[in-house]
Amino acid sequence: MRAFFIKLANLNRTIIYLIITLGVITPLVVPLNLGQKMSPPTENLYTYIDTLPKGSHILISADYDPSTLPELQPMLEAIIKHAIIRGVIPMVMSLYPEGTGLGIQACEKAKEELGARPDTDYVVLGYKPGFSAVILGIGEDIKKVFPTNYSGVPLDSIPAMKGVKNYKDIALTVSLSGASTPLAWVTYAYTKYNEKLATGVTAVSAADFYPYLQTGQFVGALMGMKGAAEYEYQVNKLLEKNGFEKGKSVFAVRGMEANSIAHFLIMLFIIIGNLGYFLSKKRREA
Amino acid sequence: MVLKLILLLFALKGEVLNIKDVPNDDGSKLRIEYAIPFAVFDSAFIYRIEGKKSVKIDRLIHNEGAFIDDGLSYKGHYKYKLVIYSDTLQKVFESGLVSPKASWFDTSQFPLFLVVLLYTGLLLFYIQHARSGKSMYLRPIAGLQALDEAVGRATEMGRPILYVPGLSSLSDVATIAALNILSHITKKAGEYETKILVPVRDPIVYTIAREIVKESYYSIGRPDLYSEDDVFFATDSQFGYAAHVSGTMIREKTATNFFMGMFYAESLILSETGASTGAIQIAGTDAVTQLPFFIVTCDYTLMGEELYAASAYLSKDPMLTATLKGQDAMKLIILLVVGILSVLNLFGIHITLGLF
Amino acid sequence: MLQKKIPLAIVLVFGIISAIQYFVPHPLSQEYYDTMLKWMIGVGSMAVFLALVSFLRHHYVRLKVKEHAPYSAVAILSFLFMTLVGFIGGMGPGSIFQKMFYYVQAPLQATMFSLLSYYMASASYRAFRAKSFEATLLLITAFLVMFSVTTFGNYVPGIPKTLEWIMAVPNMASKRGIAIGVSLGSIATSLKIIFGIERNWLGG
């Protein structure tokens, strides 16, 4: 038995890779349907949007490119759908040129699956270069930064933009990013204009954003695939309740199942490694 | 309507439109302040007049009392006109001619400026101190002590050394620190006649790394050892670069791998491949998120500022060593300030020194 | 000697001006900054040309070595193909260049990125050994964090809060400690170069 564990602790890395592959693929092929309980940062964001009065506006900035799409796109889609179902108007913009297409894609999905009407139920503002200048500009007048929507329609003539001038009329701004862009929103939109902020970030950069949650600079946050899955799951329940079966998505939920299995396998490897280490140490001592 | 008119005129006594310069800017902004009773009028517009040109710049919706007019020139002269409408009534207010001022010093950055001056002064003080010839103690840094040994190992095995100067550009100080270490390692490798391979991701870093390697060989009197092909541009794609370097490690069977500079998500791919080939590995980075990966997979890791200290440590130049003393002194000051302010904060005394 | 003195003088002058520029919001200062950026772009463009020559030479030399030849052949052919496709068909939406980017390069990059999960597994398998008190502490913390980021983490009372605490307190404290040292070190390195004390970047 001891020899077996020592042998196990010195497993060839090819076998480890193979086990990880199987662990990741299996839940993607055979769904585990584990369910997703919301963690506090996700719950805070969900509840905040859920309790906004009908007709409120939220600004969502898709500040990422396709490289971080698997984690961030499900967040964008779920937040847009959640807002639309609740009668809140999402305005989608991007500080990254590549984010524009991803924003449009998410809105098109909401249009197709929920029957949402562009410029009435949601607005696509598009991309504007200039990071801090854009964030500060919205604090003065959004129409100066985005005179038209993505299709070139003047914001003044868009019904959904009626009465929206600056952050005072925007109940929440959500920055989805794989980098440190949400911090620029904190520096300019929160500090200067006291705008309510939330964020969605990749798991690898999540550690950097926890202090901002603690200080209340973000009302809520979606941390990596886990946050995306929790939000997506919750929105799915809401869609089901409202009879929008077609709008349900399981991209992040499935991804998170694979992710969880991979984590458990790594934990198992660590336990095996330690068992082998202790047993071989004992043998040496004996 | 008469009542509304009376209310309007009554409320509009005093200064209605006030234009102020925005301090600490490049002279492109003016602050437009207005005091109008929003309850008694239907709409209000602000116009900017420059020469004969009049532009409508804002429709006032909220009673914010002020907004910033941006995009102006410090050479221009502007006038502002506020027009308010109530039913069929219209009232116009005009400001005097104003010109935004361009500042020569951003006073909001004054605390930072002082800190920079203090730190520079400290560094110069210790450099001057070093000139007097007094020796300074440097704590041993295992990763740096092992550098020569790592080069020696490659020589013994007759295999090349791989030096990765990070994936960032020259604007990252970590890259500059990495290039400083490259000079030292090239000289050492030159003395032992061991081949050094330097794949580079950034074109500018490539040209500089090439010159450093060439100059280093020259400085030890071995220009013959330099080969144009030792320092090369691999690709600017992050993961393409990781694939290339991993392939190089496996095919060239490098005995020693150095990963110095700025790294991102590819750090583990590089160092784990190196670990699998059995190479001795020394890493150094200030990328906090990548440090754990290097610590796990490399034999030695220079953490954060140790990377910057490497040049002083390796060259033993007293002037360079002196700057490390300066850094330590500044760190002590920061620690004291943070400690004192935290204690004061516990007692409800909030002092930020204008830094936060 | 002059070969080293001229670069050092340029570094001194432009280093000091650029440091001061940060505190000056005047348009003239901005103009200086923009000019410097343009120069950087200009110098960078020239460097790209040199880098391409280096890339091609490196792989051309390796074409003659049996072990490296297949890889270098792929590198050179891919380079030539993409250049030709870009010149002939353009790089706009729907072009072959863009399709190659989206359907070949992007998945290849994603594949390399995803290898991380394997490396993470094998690295943690080797590294997380309870060899000492500190290592055991690290192991327990890693276990807690890993468990809390799985789907099951939220179902165990206290785990989400523990994760938040680990991330916001010990994790952030150590990160900030390193960050302070890094900032001071990077300023010192910059000053050493500006004042010409550090000359290793010139080859020593």
Side-chain angles (χ1 to χ4, degrees):
Chain A
M1 192 68 180
R2 174 182 285 191
F4 170 73
F5 271 108
I6 294 173
K7 211 173 168 188
L8 211 60
N10 293 308
L11 264 186
N12 188 311
R13 69 184 80 213
T14 321
I15 297 171
I16 297 177
Y17 293 169
L18 197 70
I19 296 172
I20 288 283
T21 307
L22 286 174
V24 170
I25 291 176
T26 314
L28 295 176
V29 181
V30 190
L32 302 175
N33 298 323
L34 296 170
Q36 301 286 334
K37 190 170 181 273
M38 285 196 284
S39 52
T42 311
E43 198 172 358
N44 290 344
L45 175 60
Y46 185 87
T47 315
Y48 190 88
I49 295 180
D50 214 50
T51 49
L52 283 176
K54 266 193 175 175
S56 307
H57 291 79
I58 60 169
L59 182 67
I60 310 173
S61 193
D63 303 328
Y64 57 95
D65 59 24
S67 66
T68 46
L69 180 146
E71 282 176 282
L72 302 176
Q73 191 72 1
M75 294 181 189
L76 179 65
E77 288 175 9
I79 297 173
I80 291 175
K81 284 178 187 170
H82 184 200
I84 291 172
I85 288 282
R86 280 282 169 229
V88 171
I89 300 166
M91 302 175 288
V92 183
M93 59 164 281
S94 179
L95 295 173
Y96 283 58
E98 299 95 331
T100 323
L102 301 172
I104 296 169
Q105 217 176 353
C107 289
E108 288 290 323
K109 227 171 173 182
K111 183 179 161 189
E112 197 183 301
E113 294 170 357
L114 309 181
R117 295 156 299 168
D119 295 343
T120 305
D121 298 322
Y122 67 87
V123 183
V124 182
L125 297 172
Y127 159 73
K128 240 325 118 104
F131 265 73
S132 55
V134 174
I135 303 173
L136 286 170
I138 297 171
E140 298 300 329
D141 191 346
I142 194 167
K143 283 163 195 161
K144 278 189 188 163
V145 182
F146 294 100
T148 65
N149 72 357
Y150 181 71
S151 327
V153 181
L155 290 199
D156 277 326
S157 60
I158 292 177
M161 292 302 288
K162 208 176 159 194
V164 182
K165 191 185 173 198
N166 52 33
Y167 290 124
K168 282 206 166 74
D169 313 301
I170 302 169
L172 176 75
T173 296
V174 189
S175 169
L176 304 175
S177 166
S180 57
T181 322
L183 300 186
W185 285 95
V186 171
T187 312
Y188 301 110
Y190 175 84
T191 314
K192 196 145 185 243
Y193 297 100
N194 222 3
E195 168 68 347
K196 295 270 181 216
L197 293 179
T199 188
V201 291
T202 50
V204 72
S205 59
D208 294 338
F209 295 92
Y210 277 96
Y212 298 91
L213 275 172
Q214 221 182 19
T215 53
Q217 283 161 302
F218 287 126
V219 294
L222 305 181
M223 304 299 199
M225 184 67 93
K226 186 171 182 254
E230 289 167 1
Y231 208 98
E232 189 181 82
Y233 187 77
Q234 208 60 28
V235 171
N236 279 352
K237 283 210 280 193
L238 185 74
L239 289 166
E240 207 176 294
K241 213 169 120 187
N242 287 279
F244 288 104
E245 285 287 334
K246 202 184 160 195
K248 281 163 71 178
S249 163
V250 287
F251 186 87
V253 172
R254 290 268 167 84
M256 193 54 212
E257 286 177 356
N259 204 326
S260 297
I261 299 300
H263 272 90
F264 275 113
L265 285 174
I266 292 176
M267 286 160 83
L268 188 74
F269 286 138
I270 294 173
I271 294 172
I272 293 171
N274 273 285
L275 264 176
Y277 169 73
F278 278 112
L279 290 173
S280 56
K281 203 169 120 183
K282 267 194 177 169
R283 179 186 274 182
R284 274 200 304 275
E285 280 166 5
Chain B
M1 199 178 89
V2 178
L3 179 71
K4 223 173 184 182
L5 178 67
I6 296 167
L7 268 171
L8 187 65
L9 292 174
F10 183 72
L12 291 177
K13 276 200 307 184
E15 206 159 3
V16 177
L17 192 60
N18 193 11
I19 316 296
K20 285 181 177 165
D21 179 51
V22 173
N24 299 322
D25 76 332
D26 56 351
S28 65
K29 297 183 193 84
L30 282 171
R31 186 179 160 84
I32 321 295
E33 292 180 353
Y34 50 89
I36 42 178
F38 274 75
V40 289
F41 72 89
D42 300 323
S43 55
F45 294 95
I46 291 236
Y47 295 83
R48 184 203 307 132
I49 304 158
E50 188 184 4
K52 284 177 184 167
K53 205 170 78 185
S54 173
V55 187
K56 182 157 83 176
I57 52 167
D58 210 357
R59 181 182 177 199
L60 307 175
I61 299 175
H62 301 286
N63 194 8
E64 289 161 346
F67 72 92
I68 307 276
D69 187 20
D70 204 349
L72 310 174
S73 163
Y74 70 111
K75 290 174 183 161
H77 299 279
Y78 307 92
K79 242 189 203 181
Y80 288 86
K81 192 167 77 177
L82 169 69
V83 185
I84 53 178
Y85 301 91
S86 177
D87 296 335
T88 51
L89 299 167
Q90 179 188 336
K91 189 130 180 68
V92 180
F93 299 88
E94 215 168 278
S95 75
L97 211 56
V98 280
S99 190
K101 287 187 186 74
S103 311
W104 282 104
F105 184 76
D106 186 351
T107 50
S108 66
Q109 300 279 10
F110 190 65
L112 181 67
F113 183 68
L114 276 186
V115 174
V116 171
L117 276 189
L118 171 73
Y119 187 37
T120 312
L122 267 175
L123 291 174
L124 292 176
F125 168 77
Y126 278 101
I127 290 169
Q128 201 56 38
H129 191 65
R131 282 208 171 118
S132 62
K134 280 182 189 161
S135 67
M136 289 179 192
Y137 171 74
L138 271 184
R139 77 174 163 88
I141 300 173
L144 293 174
Q145 284 177 323
L147 279 181
D148 292 351
E149 183 195 320
V151 175
R153 186 169 179 252
T155 313
E156 277 168 22
M157 295 177 84
R159 292 204 219 142
I161 294 166
L162 178 79
Y163 190 94
V164 179
L167 273 84
S168 188
S169 65
L170 214 56
S171 55
D172 249 314
V173 186
T175 311
I176 300 176
L179 292 173
N180 286 334
I181 303 172
L182 172 63
S183 164
H184 175 87
I185 289 174
T186 310
K187 284 177 197 163
K188 211 33 115 194
E191 282 168 20
Y192 297 149
E193 292 187 18
T194 303
K195 190 178 172 178
I196 182 164
L197 293 170
V198 189
V200 191
R201 186 197 175 198
D202 183 89
I204 299 181
V205 177
Y206 154 70
T207 54
I208 295 171
R210 196 182 62 172
E211 287 309 307
I212 285 177
V213 171
K214 201 194 274 184
E215 284 292 324
S216 301
Y217 281 135
Y218 267 98
S219 70
I220 56 162
R222 295 299 306 270
D224 56 302
L225 292 174
Y226 176 71
S227 157
E228 284 279 342
D229 197 36
D230 290 347
V231 185
F232 54 93
F233 173 75
T235 167
D236 70 345
S237 147
Q238 181 189 8
F239 289 105
Y241 182 81
H244 174 89
V245 174
S246 300
T248 303
M249 282 188 239
I250 292 165
R251 288 194 298 275
E252 298 273 0
K253 298 178 183 68
T254 53
T256 305
N257 300 332
F258 292 103
F259 306 108
M260 302 284 176
M262 189 69 188
F263 292 87
Y264 306 97
E266 74 297 325
S267 64
L268 186 64
I269 297 178
L270 299 176
S271 54
E272 179 66 2
T273 309
S276 73
T277 62
I280 184 167
Q281 304 199 101
I282 302 180
T285 185
D286 61 358
V288 183
T289 39
Q290 306 310 324
L291 275 172
F293 298 132
F294 281 138
I295 291 170
V296 162
T297 48
C298 294
D299 299 278
Y300 299 97
T301 307
L302 304 175
M303 288 194 271
E305 62 195 301
E306 287 177 352
L307 174 70
Y308 302 128
S311 183
Y313 195 94
L314 296 170
S315 67
K316 309 258 181 325
D317 179 348
M319 305 258 272
L320 290 176
T321 315
T323 58
L324 298 183
K325 282 278 174 198
Q327 279 180 52
D328 285 348
M330 190 65 200
K331 224 185 287 178
L332 188 68
I333 294 172
I334 291 175
L335 266 174
L336 283 174
V337 171
V338 169
I340 293 168
L341 293 187
S342 303
V343 171
L344 286 177
N345 200 34
L346 283 177
F347 292 103
I349 307 163
H350 308 292
I351 304 170
T352 59
L353 299 176
L355 290 169
F356 313 106
Chain C
M1 202 60 200
L2 209 60
Q3 205 184 353
K4 281 199 173 162
K5 276 196 173 159
I6 293 173
L8 285 174
I10 295 173
V11 166
L12 179 72
V13 172
F14 283 95
I16 291 175
I17 297 176
S18 300
I20 294 170
Q21 187 275 332
Y22 179 79
F23 297 98
V24 182
H26 198 279
L28 284 180
S29 147
Q30 290 302 317
E31 214 169 285
Y32 162 82
Y33 183 69
D34 292 342
T35 313
M36 285 298 116
L37 281 183
K38 280 178 195 154
W39 269 87
M40 273 170 70
I41 294 167
V43 171
S45 316
M46 292 308 292
V48 168
F49 178 71
L50 291 174
L52 282 179
V53 173
S54 160
F55 170 84
L56 288 172
R57 188 181 46 224
H58 176 77
H59 288 291
Y60 176 71
V61 171
R62 270 162 176 68
L63 273 182
K64 294 164 195 160
V65 185
K66 199 181 156 197
E67 200 187 359
H68 300 297
Y71 305 100
S72 290
V74 169
I76 292 176
L77 285 175
S78 308
F79 171 79
L80 293 176
F81 178 76
M82 285 302 270
T83 313
L84 265 173
V85 159
F87 271 123
I88 297 168
M91 296 189 285
S95 62
I96 300 178
F97 186 91
Q98 205 183 53
K99 279 184 181 142
M100 290 296 288
F101 180 81
Y102 280 120
Y103 302 119
V104 179
Q105 194 178 344
L108 280 174
Q109 287 192 20
T111 307
M112 278 309 287
F113 190 19
S114 62
L115 285 182
L116 259 182
S117 68
Y118 296 104
Y119 289 174
M120 207 92 85
S122 76
S124 49
Y125 169 65
R126 276 202 329 271
F128 283 123
R129 301 267 155 104
K131 287 178 186 165
S132 61
F133 172 70
E134 291 89 345
T136 315
L137 215 58
L138 183 74
L139 182 69
I140 295 168
T141 317
F143 248 80
L144 271 173
V145 174
M146 274 195 265
F147 180 68
S148 61
V149 295
T150 63
T151 302
F152 309 100
N154 292 344
Y155 291 97
V156 182
I159 286 284
K161 285 274 166 215
T162 313
L163 171 72
E164 269 189 72
W165 183 82
I166 291 171
M167 289 300 193
V169 184
N171 166 60
M172 200 39 72
S174 59
K175 269 182 142 181
R176 288 201 173 135
I178 295 175
I180 290 175
V182 165
S183 320
L184 292 176
S186 67
I187 297 172
T189 306
S190 308
L191 287 173
K192 279 187 280 189
I193 290 171
I194 290 173
F195 293 134
I197 300 165
E198 173 71 82
R199 295 175 185 198
N200 273 320
W201 60 280
L202 283 169

